[in-house]
Amino acid sequence: LGKTHILFGILCITLSVKYLPLENIFIYSTFLLIGTLIVDIDSTKSKAGRKIWPFSAIIQFFLKHRGILHTIWIPLLFYH
């Protein structure tokens, strides 16, 4: 868990740099890569889940893996 998320994040960064007017690519890239790993906090076996255990165990109890956190809806809530 995590490798495909990081690769997808790198792909998004590569495309974003080409098509979006970004002021600070380093900050953008950092937050994007963190965001790609956060979607796995609902699994105690993921890199992010192991880092924040027991919080991830509580989340895993209430949410199934690849559920609501693996959708576009959560990022859209923060988009303005």
Side-chain angles (χ1 to χ4, degrees):
L1 297 172
K3 292 177 186 175
T4 54
H5 291 259
I6 291 172
L7 287 173
F8 182 72
I10 291 170
L11 173 66
C12 290
I13 291 167
T14 304
L15 294 174
S16 299
V17 168
K18 185 172 181 176
Y19 296 107
L20 296 176
L22 301 172
E23 293 183 24
N24 192 325
I25 295 170
F26 177 76
I27 292 174
Y28 173 80
S29 300
T30 302
F31 278 102
L32 196 138
L33 288 175
I34 290 170
T36 61
L37 292 174
I38 285 179
V39 299
D40 271 344
I41 63 171
D42 58 358
S43 172
T44 56
K45 295 177 182 168
S46 69
K47 288 183 182 187
R50 287 191 306 259
K51 297 282 184 194
I52 62 166
W53 190 91
F55 183 65
S56 62
I58 295 168
I59 294 172
Q60 186 175 359
F61 180 77
F62 291 105
L63 301 174
K64 67 176 188 162
H65 185 57
R66 293 195 178 110
I68 188 73
L69 296 178
H70 262 80
T71 66
I72 192 69
W73 302 115
I74 299 296
L76 286 177
L77 288 174
F78 295 102
Y79 181 75
H80 51 84

